[in-house]
Amino acid sequence: MLALHDTATSTVRRLLPDGAREMSLYVCGPTVYEMPHLGHGRALLVYDVLRRFVESQGVAVRHVSNVTDVDDKIIERAVREGTTPREVAERYEAAWWDASDRLGVLRPTSAPRATEYVAVMASMVAEMVAKGVAYVTPGGVYLDAGAVSDYGLLAGQPLESLRSGARVDVAPEKRGPHDFVLWKPSKPGEPGWDSPWGPGRPGWHTECVAMSLDLLGDSFDLHAGGMDLKFPHHENERAQAAVLGRSFSRHWMHHAFVTAAGEKMARSAGNFTTLTELVERTDPRAYRLLVLRSHYRQPLEVTRSTVAAAEEALERLDSLADRLSPDGQLLEVTADPDVVARFRSQMENDLDTPAATATLFGAVTRANAAADSGDERLSSSLGGAVLQSFSHVGLPLGRLFGRQASGPESAPGEEATELLRRREKARSDRDFATADALRAQLAEMGWTVEDTPSGARIRRSRR
RNA sequence: GGCGGCGUGGCCGAGUGGUUUAGGCAAGGGCCUGCAAAGCCCUGUACCCGGGUUCGAUUCCCGGCGCCGCCUCCA
């Protein structure tokens, strides 16, 4: 059974009860005011791997992830560009899903937008005001954090030691330093909705509570997001749920960041590479492999060179897949049960994807060795376990799945085919000078030729 | 200032009180090949520094040094 690190208890503990057939998952989604970057890509991949793995074990996943489409940053950008917040949000939401799709990430089962939930959020705020745990000021409606007995659980330290206002001014109307805004007034011209507290918009922390409770129920299995969301965002979500008497998430998962030259990659820091750029430049599966080869709670350095190394590693995997199954059809073989079991138990141990992929790479070597020595049964069962296990975490193997497979460059054109045919002829005539010249010509065109016992094979060269 | 984490061979990245040990990429040697490519085999005496515990520490403890994250919007 899958055990996962839980931020609330700082322990690795079982995620689902025995015999569970369904899992409910809430992942905090993006604020759509800028292009998604590599860090978002890692988030997308980490939770996609989790979801697919759980599903491969026969558990259905209800996966909700929000899109924040009303926010100060969106408004700022719209003002700067002389367009509407709505146009900005639509543009970057489209970019988000496009990048997600290209990474091979499953869409959430629901992806609600903040603007679609304003009424629900407003009534939630009203409920908190009615209960006397929230108060109204000219600068907005605030939740009294003091009303929550265990406020600060996810922060992992005493509240007094938090440096409120150390880096940013505390709003003067706040009664307590940890109080946070539930509803903020809109200035004229900004997006706003009518409310008992005047035209305004909901605070960010209210969004995810409203959506998760509404779509997953009062109590659900897992709430997830980046490390930076632990506090205050997730803490504040908990606070609202607590105050409303809802039990909320049973487990909290937080993943570590992508770093660039050791520093956190962030849109606000400006040190980011766009996800769109990555998936255009490389095989998106390489990024998934890179993510799989590190642990989700450790920072991951993503550079051209680490991505390139992942592409080479992927090449090794694809080669095996093609060797065992040149037509791309998964072989009807018994996947080696030891490899499958080992992979599974490593995955179940807090998603130990580095160990699990190491197991698979070990099986790749053994599968190739078996194939070299003509043991087809062994190589297929080992290789089958590799292909099956990787597919369970969203990584289909074989060059048919590579980026070239879908592009215009995927298949050799007439010219390349003709050169290859002539080279085969020259080789059978033992005219190696001509054969080598033709191979060089193909290399010029970006093709690598491999001679196999069953004839020559051609594939795209790496540059 | 508080809290959390990190420092591993050329690079990325796991892990562990001692036998053989991640794994990938890159590099060198070999096998295979007409030559290659792919594949297989072999090769690196890595664990920030200083103490301590121990028969033995990269792994545990203490003290340094360096780096990063959160406490503000942020995956």
Side-chain angles (χ1 to χ4, degrees):
Chain A
M1 237 2 234
L2 177 62
L4 211 55
H5 183 268
D6 175 26
T7 308
T9 57
S10 289
T11 57
V12 174
R13 43 181 280 258
R14 291 268 306 266
L15 177 64
L16 301 171
D18 273 329
R21 302 305 308 269
E22 194 173 83
M23 169 179 151
S24 40
L25 165 69
Y26 188 91
V27 179
C28 285
T31 301
V32 283
Y33 72 96
E34 172 61 283
M35 294 298 278
H37 60 63
L38 264 23
H40 298 107
R42 185 183 195 188
L44 248 5
L45 289 167
V46 162
Y47 301 114
D48 190 58
V49 165
L50 167 69
R51 172 176 168 184
R52 286 179 186 267
F53 175 70
V54 167
E55 286 178 343
S56 78
Q57 304 301 312
V59 175
V61 176
R62 280 194 296 156
H63 171 195
V64 178
S65 191
N66 65 302
V67 172
T68 302
D69 62 346
V70 56
D71 169 89
D72 290 347
K73 291 232 169 70
I74 296 172
I75 296 168
E76 278 166 28
R77 184 159 196 134
V79 168
R80 201 163 66 235
E81 295 183 358
T83 181
T84 62
R86 184 192 170 92
E87 193 280 322
V88 169
E90 282 175 356
R91 186 198 319 159
Y92 292 111
E93 184 184 333
W96 174 268
W97 294 123
D98 181 57
S100 171
D101 290 347
R102 293 176 71 170
L103 281 175
V105 167
L106 296 171
R107 295 271 186 123
T109 45
S110 315
R113 296 184 184 91
T115 52
E116 294 161 353
Y117 259 79
V118 173
V120 176
M121 290 190 259
S123 71
M124 202 171 260
V125 174
E127 194 181 335
M128 289 185 268
V129 171
K131 286 196 160 174
V133 294
Y135 54 92
V136 182
T137 77
V141 182
Y142 287 85
L143 185 85
D144 172 14
V148 184
S149 58
D150 62 349
Y151 188 83
L153 179 69
L154 294 177
Q157 66 174 305
L159 286 183
E160 314 78 62
S161 67
L162 292 172
R163 262 196 180 178
S164 260
R167 291 159 70 185
V168 119
D169 290 339
V170 178
E173 63 269 23
K174 281 211 245 184
R175 291 182 193 162
H178 303 298
D179 296 354
F180 55 93
V181 72
L182 301 171
W183 185 270
K184 60 207 295 185
S186 294
K187 298 190 192 80
E190 290 182 353
W193 289 260
D194 287 332
S195 82
W197 322 286
R201 56 183 186 274
W204 178 48
H205 305 306
T206 302
E207 186 179 324
C208 296
V209 206
M211 291 171 174
S212 55
L213 291 174
D214 187 55
L215 292 165
L216 295 173
D218 276 5
S219 176
F220 52 95
D221 294 307
L222 179 64
H223 196 123
M227 292 282 190
D228 50 356
L229 298 183
K230 271 193 225 179
F231 191 92
H233 182 56
H234 284 163
E235 191 60 52
N236 289 350
E237 287 189 47
R238 278 187 67 249
Q240 293 170 81
V243 130
L244 293 169
R246 318 287 187 87
S247 54
F248 213 44
S249 184
R250 290 186 284 272
H251 211 110
W252 294 86
M253 172 175 173
H254 293 100
H255 69 273
F257 306 115
V258 164
T259 56
E263 309 266 321
K264 174 186 175 184
M265 185 172 284
R267 296 191 280 200
S268 54
N271 63 338
F272 65 93
T273 302
T274 264
L275 198 50
T276 307
E277 186 189 327
L278 178 87
V279 297
E280 272 165 7
R281 197 181 59 209
T282 64
D283 188 328
R285 294 176 309 150
Y287 192 29
R288 184 180 293 257
L289 184 58
L290 185 60
V291 165
L292 284 169
R293 293 172 47 76
S294 65
H295 189 84
Y296 75 90
R297 287 194 281 125
Q298 293 304 136
L300 174 63
E301 184 76 12
V302 183
T303 62
R304 308 131 321 272
S305 106
T306 61
V307 172
E311 283 192 281
E312 294 302 327
L314 183 61
E315 186 67 36
R316 173 169 162 80
L317 264 18
D318 280 345
S319 290
L320 175 69
D322 289 351
R323 182 178 192 181
L324 297 178
S325 172
D327 57 359
Q329 295 298 111
L330 213 69
L331 297 174
E332 281 301 318
V333 294
T334 312
D336 184 276
D338 291 338
V339 171
V340 169
R342 189 142 182 249
F343 177 81
R344 176 178 170 164
S345 76
Q346 287 166 326
M347 287 297 291
E348 287 179 338
N349 177 25
D350 196 24
L351 294 178
D352 191 355
T353 55
T357 50
T359 293
L360 264 23
F361 272 99
V364 168
T365 301
R366 289 190 289 144
N368 275 317
D372 283 353
S373 68
D375 190 341
E376 215 167 284
R377 199 198 53 77
L378 182 59
S379 73
S380 321
S381 81
L382 250 17
V386 171
L387 265 50
Q388 185 195 87
S389 298
F390 271 124
S391 79
H392 284 170
V393 288
L395 192 66
L397 296 177
R399 296 199 180 92
L400 284 174
F401 295 102
R403 65 193 304 255
Q404 272 90 31
S406 50
E409 303 276 278
S410 59
E414 260 177 52
E415 190 188 356
T417 307
E418 175 59 17
L419 291 175
L420 187 67
R421 200 193 56 72
R422 279 168 51 200
R423 177 173 174 275
E424 285 294 82
K425 172 78 166 54
R427 283 189 74 220
S428 62
D429 293 344
R430 303 196 64 78
D431 177 2
F432 296 120
T434 303
D436 289 352
L438 289 165
R439 184 167 62 196
Q441 213 176 320
L442 282 160
E444 285 286 302
M445 294 164 61
W447 297 101
T448 296
V449 179
E450 294 180 3
D451 296 317
T452 75
S454 53
R457 193 163 70 193
I458 193 169
R459 66 177 170 89
R460 271 289 168 201
S461 312
R462 301 225 151 273
R463 73 224 88 72

